[in-house]
Amino acid sequence: MRIPHSRIKIRRWSLIVLAVLSLLLAWARWWPMSPLFIDPYCTVLLDKDAHLLGATVADDGQWRFPPGEKVPIRFATCLVQFEDRHFRSHWGIRPQSLVRAWEQNRAAGRVVSGGSTITMQVARMARGNRARTYGEKFIEAILALRIEIRMDKDKILDLFAAHAPFGGNVVGLDAAAWRYFGRPAERLSWSESATLAVLPNAPSAIYPGKGHDALRNKRDRLLTRLLAVHAIDSTEWSLAKEEPLPEGPRVLPQRAPHLLATLKSQGHDGEILHSTLDGELQDRATAAADLYAGRLLANEVHNAAAIILETGTGRVLAYVGNLSSAGAAHAGEVDIVRSRRSTGSVLKPFLYADMLQGGELLPDMLVADIPTRYNGFAPRNYDEHYNGAVPASEALSRSLNVPAVRALHAHGIDRTLRLLRAMGLKSIDRSADDYGLSLIVGGAESTPWELAGAYANMGRVLQNFGRKGMAYRQGDVHPPVVLAAEADERTARAPVAEMTPALSAGSIYFTLKALREVARPEDEQGWKQFAGSRNISWKTGTSYGHRDAWAIGLTAKYCIAVWTGNASGEGRPGLTGTLAAAPLLFDLFNLLPASDAGFEPPYDEMVRSAICRTTGFRANRDCPQVDTAWVPPQGTRTPLCPYHRRVWLDASGTHQLAGGAGIGIPWFQLPPAMEHYYMERQPAYKPLPPPLPDTPIGQDRPMEIMYPDAGGTILIPIQLDGSVGSMVAEVAHRDPRATLYWDLDGTFIGTTSGEHRMALSPEAGLHLLTLTDQRGNREQRTFTVVRGASSPPARHAP
């Protein structure tokens, strides 16, 4: 039977249509699809509770937040009821709506309705909101079908909420919620959600601040619709209609602007950044810094920075990058928390701890504080005085420069640099030759970020020692953590045992104890009681020229680093760590919960040893007062007390006798140079009585050459007028009445009494200095002289 031609034609066209539809479906479903939106986003910073800390405007000048995780149910309900009641049931286009819109537009003679579904509006926004034509509408419809095939309805709502215009330069639901209502979208009321849901329909005509009555009418009609579909009850409807509309867009909060700018510059542009910051503490810390700014400004100091960490995790709780009062004139936009500044004295605790764990030092061992020169470098204490001998713990807490430089010289600069870098101070990146001995008194530069991290690392190593059956845990030493994702990742890691870190728990414990318990300079005594009640171990520092003032405090729970100064590098009188940074440090500690719990002693890394009470050395048999004290185990390698020995005196106790004669008593005697300055500060110190005439004793060195150093090289400067400068040789003698005879290279050059100093201007080359006292005692010293330029001595405040 022959098939009619008309039926063949219909079948042919049906196959063609079916093929086209199949191809269209395959194209829509599987053909590669470019991203719908490539618009730039704001960079958004949230605190640990997801509250807004700040945001930067997108590169195109729009307030467009990155898409959120999910559209809040209230806004989704309002949007669907206002824009597209059949959204959940159509395939991206609704022919009935398009026909109705065409009839309305033809009757009006202009475009009054688009008939677009929510999906078609997403397609329109993705194409840049082009002019409304029938051709463009067809393309939007095809793209809407493709979107529906590839995405579920919730994802389509997410795209609409993220990219819809909400009036002015506000784009997206999240930006609109903050700009108009000052809170996140998920916390909006029904009235507020309805207000935002009606804005994308005509964003240039009505929005908060423009078309107030029209906006209210639209909102109220939508609320009535919600009542009709039972989305809200009559009470909610009545209360929602009474809510006022916002008067206009609000200024977004800028609660951590420097952190936001820094994270953006580090590659987080256009992201929602969930931080570890405590929003309330951030606000209070910023307010405390701003209040303190008035005190700094009185001394023409314009900048300050502070960072608060959680010791156990390294999480950043507050981040004050600069003072809001600084302004553009004083580099107020600079994030000083990440800026390199001279470290002053705040590196000294790391050197002290490293020497403890290296068996070079005991916590309270006497160390020399006497005039010291190394190849032209002459460190001085801030108060321009010398103590002769001082316990190492006190030298640290008082931030004495001379003992610190002498310790660095003995310990090694390279060795110290390796430690500092291992503890997280990566900005200290120059060579040992470049830094020299000034490294420990402000010659290096680091950032408040790194220094807070390094101090917190000390606390964390000590705090975690011995937990979970491990002596040490891998990952205890790490930089501060400010992004919540990184912090959560670290928390989720199972602790893994590792070898001893750069600093052992025992050495850290004694270091923090020294920074908490021992004597302070007079101007720090007022803080001692407060710090003691909070178990705060703290250190101050000041750079050369009074350009940088530091104060860093550490407890078992928190670590705070404070810097004050001028970003320009201008120094100011009185800009010291004690006067300009410590007050703010303790203001910030006052914002934190008080904690009486300090660090637990790591007894597994401590041993008990007999210690001389006077000198802090391991006691020898002649030490009269001996304490049994906990010390680092490496401390058992330190020498026995060298300053106590048994001497023999006559019955009157005024003269020494030969060994074995007279009365034998233990005697505390320092070397001549240390004794000379120690006696000035310690009136109770008793010099060793002289021997009887013609009585050979043979053990005592009555004098000591303090400068020049044995085998040292001395730079003698050439003055501006071309004349040759001089060096000042210095000798200490136990007998204040002694006369010394000076000889240089075999030539007599003079005598001294009382203070034994003499200016010398020898030629370049090797020289021999010989000194002889009236009893015939002799000391000699060889040294080398070179001539050239000079540099100023190092002098830094505590």
Side-chain angles (χ1 to χ4, degrees), residues 514-525:
L515 295 176
R516 185 179 65 250
E517 294 183 353
V518 297
R520 291 277 178 182
E522 284 188 15
D523 48 8
E524 292 187 358
Q525 289 298 322

Side-chain angles (χ1 to χ4, degrees), residues 376 401 405 501 546 604 649 724 795:
N401 290 325
V405 171
H546 297 274
D604 288 347
L649 304 179
V724 179
R795 190 161 54 243

Side-chain angles (χ1 to χ4, degrees), residues 99-113:
V99 171
R100 186 186 69 248
W102 179 77
E103 291 176 345
Q104 290 175 346
N105 294 337
R106 187 181 63 173
R110 59 187 178 87
V111 177
V112 295
S113 176

Side-chain angles (χ1 to χ4, degrees), residues 541-562:
T542 307
S543 67
Y544 181 75
H546 297 274
R547 295 181 176 91
D548 307 272
W550 293 91
I552 304 177
L554 177 66
T555 70
K557 287 190 175 181
Y558 305 105
C559 178
I560 302 178
V562 171

Side-chain angles (χ1 to χ4, degrees), residues 59-299:
D59 292 341
D60 60 356
Q62 304 296 306
W63 287 106
R64 184 188 301 105
F65 284 15
E69 294 181 358
K70 188 177 180 181
V71 178
I73 186 63
R74 286 181 177 176
F75 179 80
T77 302
C78 292
L79 180 65
V80 168
Q81 291 301 319
F82 184 77
E83 291 282 359
D84 188 358
R85 298 174 188 175
H86 303 281
F87 173 70
R88 296 288 178 181
S89 59
H90 63 61
W91 283 75
I93 59 174
R94 190 166 184 271
Q96 303 95 313
S97 299
L98 292 173
V99 171
R100 186 186 69 248
W102 179 77
E103 291 176 345
Q104 290 175 346
N105 294 337
R106 187 181 63 173
R110 59 187 178 87
V111 177
V112 295
S113 176
S116 296
T117 63
I118 288 177
T119 312
M120 291 177 66
Q121 291 184 59
V122 170
R124 175 175 170 78
M125 289 185 286
R127 290 179 54 78
N129 291 308
R130 301 184 185 187
R132 295 185 179 185
T133 64
Y134 289 114
E136 183 63 28
K137 184 67 69 175
F138 175 76
I139 295 174
E140 290 172 7
I142 296 299
L143 182 56
L145 287 170
R146 194 177 192 195
I147 292 171
E148 287 279 351
I149 290 173
R150 287 180 173 248
M151 303 177 187
D152 61 30
K153 293 292 186 179
D154 288 338
K155 177 61 177 175
I156 295 170
L157 281 180
D158 291 345
L159 288 174
F160 182 96
H163 296 279
F166 284 84
N169 67 341
V170 180
V171 178
L173 171 64
D174 290 327
W178 279 103
R179 288 284 280 165
Y180 295 135
F181 297 106
R183 53 181 169 274
E186 58 269 18
R187 291 174 52 199
L188 296 179
S189 67
W190 279 109
S191 175
E192 293 164 342
S193 297
T195 301
L196 295 185
V198 304
L199 293 182
N201 183 255
S204 62
I206 59 170
Y207 55 86
K210 182 178 181 180
H212 186 276
D213 292 339
L215 176 58
R216 176 179 287 277
N217 291 335
K218 275 193 171 186
R219 182 202 68 176
D220 290 351
R221 286 199 300 273
L222 176 54
L223 289 172
T224 300
R225 171 67 186 172
L226 294 175
L227 176 63
V229 298
H230 306 294
I232 58 176
D233 59 32
S234 58
T235 301
E236 290 174 312
W237 171 79
S238 177
L239 292 174
K241 290 183 65 176
E242 294 300 320
E243 288 188 29
L245 294 174
E247 296 298 325
R250 302 171 181 229
V251 176
L252 290 181
Q254 293 296 333
R255 300 161 66 190
H258 299 92
L259 175 59
L260 175 59
T262 293
L263 291 174
K264 181 179 178 181
S265 70
Q266 291 177 342
H268 296 286
D269 189 17
E271 298 180 20
I272 296 178
L273 303 171
H274 294 266
S275 76
T276 60
L277 267 59
D278 181 316
E280 181 181 353
L281 180 60
Q282 174 69 20
D283 293 340
R284 296 174 69 193
T286 300
D290 287 341
L291 181 63
Y292 189 71
R295 175 172 174 175
L296 295 175
L297 188 59
N299 191 28

